[in-house]
Amino acid sequence: MKSDMSIIPYTKILYIEDDLGLAELVRIKLKREGYQVAHAETGNAAMTLMREQDFEVVLIDFYLPDMNGLEVLKGIQILKCKAACVMISGVDDMQLVVNAIKQGAEDFVLKDAGGAYLELLPTTLGKVLLKQRLIAEKEAAELEKNKSEVFYRSLIEHTHVVAWEYLPAAERFSYVSAQAEKLTGHSLEEWTSDGFWQASLYPEDYAKVTAFCSSLAHSQQEQGLEFRLLKKDGGELWLRQIVSVVEMGSGHGYVLRGFLIDITESKQALEKQRLAELVFDTIHEGIMITDAHNCIEAVNPAFTKITGYALDEVKGKNPSILSSGLQNSAFYASLWQSLNHYGHWEGEIWNRHKSGAMYAESTSISYVYDEVGKIKRHIAIFGDVTEKKQAAEKIHYQANYDQLTGLPNRQLFQDRLHSAVASAKRNNTKLALLFIDLDHFKEVNDSAGHEAGDRLLVQVAQRLNTCVRDSDTLARLGGDEFTVILNNLGTNHDLEQIARTILKLLEQPFSLAATGVDAAISASIGIAMYPADGQDDTSLIRHADAAMYRVKETGRNGFEFFTAEMNREAGKRQQYKSAFKDSLEKKEFKVFFQPVWRLSDGQVIGVEALSRWQHPEWGMVMPNEFIPVAEESGFIHELSLFVVKEVVKQIKLWDERGFNQLSVAINLSPTQFRRLDDWLAHMHNILSGYVVAPHRIKLEITETALMGDTIKLMNTLGHVQASGIEISLDDFGTGFSSLSRISSMPLNYIKIDKSFVSQIGRKGQFNVIEAITSMAHSMNCQVIAEGIETIAQLEYLKQLGCDLGQGYLCSRPVPAPDLLMLLQKGFMFN
Ligand code: C2E
Ligand code: CA
Ligand code: CA
């Protein structure tokens, strides 16, 4: 039998034999087979060799000079030599051989006399060797198995993985590793109890897990699933499960085995990242991320929308490509300083869109640092605030500037005045406040229409603008009120100069193109100065206003410096306004009458009704004092209706006494033209109520009332005339209306202002009266001369062909009973 050649080479054999001839024979034989053979003559020599070298097989001749085979075996055991021992003995020593095998020998060979055993030896050796190798392999495998078992056990115990086994038939876990309790807070008993699995699944994931499990049933492959589990404390646990189906064989069904891995953290991180991406992509604010060298790394869609640049156009570039150049280097220096100091900057920047358009963005820039505190990135988040900024600017503009003229409005004026006063106080300088109020603007506005009025105001603003320096403030307070704050004032003389310039500029005609009419207008200017006239802004305003009012009262078209007396007057005006209300009811108002006579024969043909206010405390208040206040407050409307009533009552009385031809002139303020139709309707009501013929009434209007919408005015006056009421143009010569304009109006009388009459008898020219008279006559108007005080005046007027007269020379305005007495005396003035 041929031995297994594959295990022979290099197999080291020790042959112990005292018969040297035999030993040589065996050695040659085995060598030829491929073994390496060492020889020892005695047991002790063998022991020595075995200490030095490893052998796989030891051939032991039973009888040796120093010991027998059994003793050799013992020695080998003591040496813990792993070599297989094969005993060689004679036939008659069978018992010895049996003992040797009991002692651990692997096999034996019997020596026969013919030497046949030499042929047998290799076979025996091969057998022994094979067995020897098998055992070694098995031991090695066993060792390996033990090692990996320990490894896995410790793995399961020391990792966060939960190992488990699940019984699908019973619908419960049969085993879970200890980690399960640590991870979930549920005890291992709970884990393996019935219904645990179903109850602790996250409700939303229940269907998913159930479907997964049933799909597993006969799957051969390992499967994975991610799902959520409720922890004992109610918290959420994300798990990844890896399952394999283990068939139990022959009708025993299957079990599931697998692992659960806690993936909560990575799930949450993933969720966080997903959210961050979502925000990055959908937020309306632009986001730009740059690296440590401030080169653009990433931008979001909103960035592209705001700036016009897509990522590939800006990637790797410096954000300065967005720069508008509107911020100076100091701005950027402070930005970087803030970034370097606080790691953060916030503010507004004007940048440039890809198209070149500027836009404003509200930006916040932050540094992002790495683990060692080095700057890793910059993140800029910005929103387009152009519209917001524009809206804010618009709001600011609307809040501070007058829409019509573009001048600062009352709000801004007050702010500027406040700071001007504060700065004058600090620097010990003077300032002046000018209140400029246009004369009779309201009438122009009402009659010519708002458009024409607006056009006039714009032109006024433009002209005023030419008189002020940049350091001054010209403002429009509203309506026809303008103010000028003059800082760092020189002398009063300079101020007068400025006031005069303003008046002159405004005297030039204005074109109200829409109506095709040029309007002339004047202004009244009141001046108050800091610190002389007021220590604060409110008193300065009050005092400039009072000075302006004084100009109005004394004939307009001029300027006045504030005086203490004006202050008292302003106070008085305020008192008037509040007293008006009850005064009519208390019958404090009276109507006086002044005769108007025919110059040719001295016949009194009518009277003018003039109001008086008999105040219990203040005494007799004259119309020049209260009429402007009544006009301003609107009280004039009620007052003039009261006058109409009183007049009508008197007419009835005069009729009874036979003076049934006497007419009464009633004054109409220019401001009443705003509600003229309404007022006329009231008047006609009163007339018809008392059954008084309209031709007994005359209405006196002023030139100012004639400015504006000619057509409308002509219509209204035409109607008034048609109803029988005659119309007088009062105070003629003081206004600005052109003769051509007057000639187109339906008028019956022209009253020459007393300022012209008073000139008569003094040096100078009187051809103004002459001219007016001839013009009036050419218009079929009669001329009434007012304020005749002297015979000389009377004679002169008669000579000029003036038709009617009125004045102290004949009579002052008197109460109704006094007039009646005059009439009853048969009063004629000749
Ligand atoms: P007026 O319409 O020009 O009235 C004539 C003014 O001249 C009256 O002043 C009258 O007293 C005054 N007067 C008359 N003769 C002479 C004279 O010989 N010499 C001088 N120096 N003055 C003379 P009065 O009554 O003080 O009225 C002043 C102004 O008040 C009136 O001027 C008129 O415009 C206005 N007024 C008076 N009553 C009313 C009224 O009921 N309604 C309206 N809207 N205005 C009125
Ligand atoms: Ca009058
Ligand atoms: Ca008059």
Side-chain angles (χ1 to χ4, degrees):
M1 193 182 152
K2 194 97 170 93
S3 58
D4 185 345
M5 290 299 288
S6 62
I7 58 171
I8 292 169
Y10 314 116
T11 303
K12 282 175 86 179
I13 292 174
L14 176 62
Y15 183 32
I16 315 170
E17 175 62 72
D18 55 342
D19 181 340
L20 292 177
L22 184 61
E24 188 55 20
L25 214 65
V26 169
R27 211 181 57 81
I28 289 165
K29 173 88 183 151
L30 291 181
K31 225 176 157 183
R32 210 176 289 141
E33 292 285 334
Y35 295 99
Q36 292 178 25
V37 184
H39 173 243
E41 241 184 285
T42 61
N44 282 321
M47 292 302 142
T48 307
L49 267 174
M50 274 189 290
R51 266 187 217 107
E52 290 163 0
Q53 305 174 33
D54 282 335
F55 297 97
E56 278 177 78
V57 183
V58 184
L59 292 174
I60 309 163
D61 184 46
F62 197 84
Y63 294 106
L64 294 167
D66 49 350
M67 54 185 84
N68 65 26
L70 290 178
E71 286 164 329
V72 174
L73 274 176
K74 218 170 249 157
I76 287 174
Q77 271 163 9
I78 288 163
L79 283 175
K80 291 201 166 122
C81 175
K82 282 200 175 146
C85 298
V86 176
M87 210 52 80
I88 301 170
S89 67
V91 187
D92 16 326
D93 301 325
M94 263 319 273
Q95 194 50 50
L96 288 174
V97 169
V98 172
N99 284 344
I101 286 179
K102 276 186 187 159
Q103 292 278 325
E106 209 55 60
D107 213 337
F108 67 93
V109 179
L110 290 177
K111 277 186 193 167
D112 60 332
Y117 80 98
L118 284 179
E119 294 307 318
L120 236 135
L121 198 57
T123 312
T124 308
L125 267 176
K127 233 166 62 191
V128 166
L129 268 173
L130 196 64
K131 197 177 163 197
Q132 180 83 347
R133 296 264 164 106
L134 283 175
I135 289 168
E137 270 168 28
K138 204 176 152 200
E139 275 178 353
E142 199 84 344
L143 198 75
E144 202 51 40
K145 194 181 154 207
N146 281 344
K147 247 162 73 185
S148 68
E149 244 182 53
V150 169
F151 172 73
Y152 286 123
R153 193 168 303 124
S154 82
L155 192 73
I156 283 171
E157 260 144 43
H158 292 102
T159 60
H160 298 297
V161 170
V162 176
W164 55 264
E165 185 182 72
Y166 185 77
L167 310 174
E171 294 190 323
R172 65 175 185 82
F173 287 99
S174 50
Y175 162 80
V176 284
S177 61
Q179 187 63 26
E181 183 171 348
K182 276 188 213 151
L183 213 59
T184 63
H186 300 292
S187 70
L188 298 183
E189 287 84 68
E190 285 174 299
W191 268 92
T192 47
S193 64
D194 286 335
F196 166 80
W197 180 235
Q198 293 78 349
S200 55
L201 270 175
Y202 204 81
E204 281 169 38
D205 291 351
Y206 186 82
K208 176 166 89 173
V209 176
T210 322
F212 172 78
C213 287
S214 47
S215 79
L216 279 174
H218 296 288
S219 150
Q220 297 299 313
Q221 271 160 6
E222 203 175 69
Q223 306 268 353
L225 180 74
E226 286 174 3
F227 62 95
R228 284 162 293 178
L229 200 78
L230 287 167
K231 293 204 283 190
K232 185 99 177 177
D233 63 8
E236 171 187 305
L237 192 71
W238 267 101
L239 294 170
R240 176 179 296 129
Q241 126 161 308
I242 295 157
V243 191
S244 0
V245 178
V246 181
E247 298 285 348
M248 299 308 281
S250 55
H252 285 96
Y254 66 96
V255 296
L256 301 177
R257 282 183 192 151
F259 297 103
L260 291 171
I261 302 158
D262 179 5
I263 54 164
T264 311
E265 256 176 43
S266 73
K267 267 283 179 200
Q268 282 168 349
L270 211 74
E271 181 67 5
K272 233 160 109 181
Q273 189 190 335
R274 207 181 57 80
L275 270 177
E277 278 168 14
L278 192 76
V279 169
F280 189 78
D281 286 341
T282 58
I283 196 169
H284 286 291
E285 273 71 36
I287 301 177
M288 173 176 69
I289 301 172
T290 62
D291 62 16
H293 307 291
N294 204 24
C295 292
I296 297 174
E297 270 186 343
V299 300
N300 71 342
F303 172 97
T304 305
K305 202 171 154 206
I306 296 171
T307 66
Y309 289 105
L311 176 61
D312 53 356
E313 293 172 292
V314 292
K315 198 164 181 160
K317 293 195 177 142
N318 188 283
S320 65
I321 54 156
L322 298 171
S323 172
S324 64
L326 288 181
Q327 284 84 213
N328 55 18
S329 52
F331 174 89
Y332 288 106
S334 94
L335 182 154
W336 283 108
Q337 197 190 343
S338 163
L339 265 177
N340 291 329
H341 196 265
Y342 305 107
H344 187 75
W345 178 86
E346 253 181 54
E348 272 176 11
I349 304 186
W350 279 97
N351 271 346
R352 192 190 296 273
H353 187 270
K354 189 182 169 187
S355 68
M358 303 291 183
Y359 64 91
E361 54 172 57
S362 160
T363 306
S364 124
I365 305 176
S366 304
Y367 278 158
V368 178
Y369 302 93
D370 64 9
E371 302 74 30
V372 293
K374 249 178 69 187
I375 295 161
K376 204 164 132 194
R377 285 194 175 88
H378 313 90
I379 297 185
I381 300 181
F382 58 91
D384 189 341
V385 291
T386 313
E387 269 175 32
K388 223 161 83 185
K389 247 187 127 69
Q390 281 167 348
E393 265 163 27
K394 204 170 150 198
I395 287 166
H396 178 263
Y397 184 83
Q398 280 171 348
N400 289 290
Y401 288 88
D402 169 40
Q403 303 297 300
L404 179 65
T405 62
L407 294 180
N409 66 6
R410 183 183 293 272
Q411 171 72 38
L412 187 55
F413 158 71
Q414 278 168 345
D415 291 352
R416 294 258 178 98
L417 182 62
H418 192 82
S419 40
V421 169
S423 123
K425 214 169 256 178
R426 268 198 314 277
N427 304 322
N428 241 343
T429 54
K430 291 201 281 182
L431 73 83
L433 175 62
L434 273 63
F435 254 60
I436 305 167
D437 192 287
L438 304 183
D439 298 330
H440 301 302
F441 171 76
K442 285 191 182 71
E443 292 78 44
V444 177
N445 200 41
D446 292 334
S447 46
H450 290 283
E451 254 179 61
D454 284 354
R455 204 165 289 130
L456 182 91
L457 288 172
V458 171
Q459 290 175 50
V460 168
Q462 285 165 350
R463 289 187 195 179
L464 290 177
N465 235 334
T466 63
C467 320
V468 297
R469 299 165 298 178
D470 284 349
S471 56
D472 302 330
T473 296
L474 167 66
R476 179 179 171 223
L477 299 196
D480 57 349
E481 293 180 340
F482 295 85
T483 56
V484 181
I485 304 167
L486 297 166
N487 296 302
N488 302 320
L489 213 60
T491 59
N492 277 14
H493 181 73
D494 294 340
L495 254 182
E496 279 188 38
Q497 202 49 52
I498 292 170
R500 266 187 245 284
T501 310
I502 291 174
L503 289 175
K504 226 192 205 103
L505 273 172
L506 296 183
E507 263 173 22
Q508 311 301 314
F510 290 89
S511 86
L512 309 180
T515 58
V517 176
D518 278 2
I521 204 163
S522 60
S524 303
I525 305 176
I527 305 169
M529 283 180 293
Y530 173 87
D533 302 333
Q535 298 289 316
D536 54 55
D537 41 351
T538 46
S539 60
L540 281 175
I541 293 174
R542 221 177 46 236
H543 294 163
D545 190 51
M548 187 271 290
Y549 206 88
R550 166 55 61 87
V551 183
K552 292 271 182 204
E553 268 184 336
T554 54
R556 304 181 161 95
N557 193 19
F559 64 89
E560 286 279 356
F561 286 91
F562 171 77
T563 62
E565 185 223 340
M566 291 174 184
N567 213 11
R568 285 192 291 279
E569 289 202 352
K572 214 158 73 188
R573 278 198 301 277
Q574 206 45 52
Q575 285 179 313
Y576 287 169
K577 278 187 196 169
S578 32
F580 279 150
K581 250 189 156 190
D582 304 328
S583 54
L584 274 182
E585 275 175 30
K586 290 182 182 162
K587 301 208 186 322
E588 289 172 8
F589 280 95
K590 305 277 182 276
V591 179
F592 278 33
F593 298 94
Q594 189 180 32
V596 176
W597 78 94
R598 197 154 51 212
L599 296 187
S600 57
D601 61 2
Q603 177 74 42
V604 173
I605 54 105
V607 292
E608 179 176 4
L610 295 158
S611 303
R612 299 288 183 268
W613 187 3
Q614 188 63 55
H615 192 272
E617 283 172 38
W618 308 324
M620 177 79 86
V621 186
M622 295 304 281
N624 281 338
E625 269 194 79
F626 68 80
I627 290 288
V629 187
E631 287 176 347
E632 201 179 85
S633 69
F635 176 65
I636 193 72
H637 188 78
E638 282 88 1
L639 180 64
S640 63
L641 285 175
F642 163 78
V643 171
V644 172
K645 261 182 233 164
E646 287 301 299
V647 164
V648 167
K649 278 186 206 163
Q650 287 309 313
I651 291 176
K652 292 302 277 187
L653 197 74
W654 297 328
D655 280 1
E656 285 167 16
R657 307 290 160 96
F659 305 108
N660 53 9
Q661 293 305 309
L662 213 59
S663 68
V664 186
I666 294 171
N667 290 287
L668 263 186
S669 284
T671 55
Q672 288 184 263
F673 277 71
R674 254 178 281 171
R675 298 171 62 184
L676 191 59
D677 292 341
D678 181 30
W679 187 85
L680 287 171
H682 271 98
M683 186 196 64
H684 279 291
N685 264 344
I686 296 167
L687 290 182
S688 53
Y690 283 86
V691 201
V692 166
H695 74 264
R696 303 290 293 279
I697 304 290
K698 293 184 171 87
L699 293 182
E700 295 197 357
I701 62 175
T702 57
E703 285 175 77
T704 317
L706 293 183
M707 295 167 82
D709 190 342
T710 319
I711 311 281
K712 194 181 161 216
L713 199 65
M714 279 169 70
N715 265 333
T716 313
L717 295 181
H719 277 112
V720 172
Q721 267 185 342
S723 73
I725 295 172
E726 291 186 315
I727 297 164
S728 300
L729 184 59
D730 206 352
D731 302 337
F732 186 76
T734 57
F736 295 94
S737 45
S738 63
L739 285 178
S740 68
R741 195 165 163 70
I742 288 169
S743 61
S744 66
M745 289 293 166
L747 299 171
N748 303 93
Y749 302 91
I750 287 178
K751 290 184 90 168
I752 298 175
D753 190 68
K754 46 183 180 292
S755 60
F756 295 106
V757 174
S758 67
Q759 303 286 316
I760 301 170
R762 293 184 199 164
K763 277 188 187 160
Q765 292 191 341
F766 312 120
N767 45 12
V768 181
I769 300 175
E770 211 179 332
I772 295 170
T773 307
S774 63
M775 184 211 70
H777 286 160
S778 74
M779 286 164 54
N780 284 327
C781 287
Q782 294 194 47
V783 178
I784 307 174
E786 278 190 317
I788 305 173
E789 290 181 351
T790 66
I791 304 282
Q793 290 164 351
L794 175 65
E795 289 309 319
Y796 182 81
L797 292 163
K798 269 183 176 175
Q799 197 191 309
L800 277 182
C802 211
D803 304 286
L804 302 164
Q806 190 182 342
Y808 292 171
L809 184 66
C810 169
S811 167
R812 286 184 174 255
V814 291
D818 295 18
L819 181 81
L820 195 61
M821 267 174 15
L822 274 175
L823 293 171
Q824 277 168 340
K825 272 189 211 161
F827 181 76
M828 293 273 281
F829 194 76
N830 239 330

